Amino acid sequence: GLSCDVMTLINGQPQSGKLHKHGWRYFRFVVTDNSTEVAFALLRVIGDPDLYVKYGALPTRHSYDKHSVRYGRDFVNYRFPKVGVYYAGIYAYSSCTFTI
């Protein structure tokens, strides 16, 4: 399955990558306690990556909790998030290099 291709995000440790047009890269972030907020920031280096986030499952372009498809910097946040796993999917609207 896709689980082997999902990298775990650690707070304060950005990850970078490259994607070909229409490709996906997935990350997971675990909320373990009563956090007040969890936020995902996607920085465009080259091209146009878009950000999709979903609680408990991998997001798609049609199935997500929150998304941001701006050109440049994409950002989504959850106030008082549930404990569990949030999945961030980066979709390459065009071939791109990114940092999340």
Side-chain angles (χ1 to χ4, degrees):
L2 284 167
S3 59
C4 60
D5 298 325
V6 179
M7 288 188 60
T8 298
L9 287 174
I10 298 170
N11 207 19
Q13 297 184 17
Q15 301 284 340
S16 296
K18 293 181 180 181
L19 284 169
H20 293 295
K21 185 176 181 177
H22 301 323
W24 283 92
R25 181 75 49 81
Y26 292 102
F27 297 88
R28 64 198 293 272
F29 184 76
V30 181
V31 175
T32 56
D33 56 14
N34 295 326
S35 302
T36 57
E37 182 182 35
V38 60
F40 298 89
L42 174 63
L43 302 177
R44 165 197 172 271
V45 179
I46 299 168
D48 187 12
D50 292 327
L51 177 61
Y52 295 81
V53 181
K54 188 169 185 175
Y55 176 84
L58 295 178
T60 70
R61 292 181 74 195
H62 308 289
S63 176
Y64 54 84
D65 296 333
K66 299 191 177 205
H67 76 304
S68 175
V69 294
R70 294 188 305 178
Y71 183 78
R73 182 175 186 268
D74 292 295
F75 180 83
V76 303
N77 68 319
Y78 295 79
R79 296 283 294 156
F80 303 105
K82 294 183 285 189
V83 170
V85 181
Y86 288 78
Y87 291 91
I90 300 170
Y91 173 75
Y93 186 79
S94 64
S95 295
C96 62
T97 302
F98 64 85
T99 297
I100 186 171

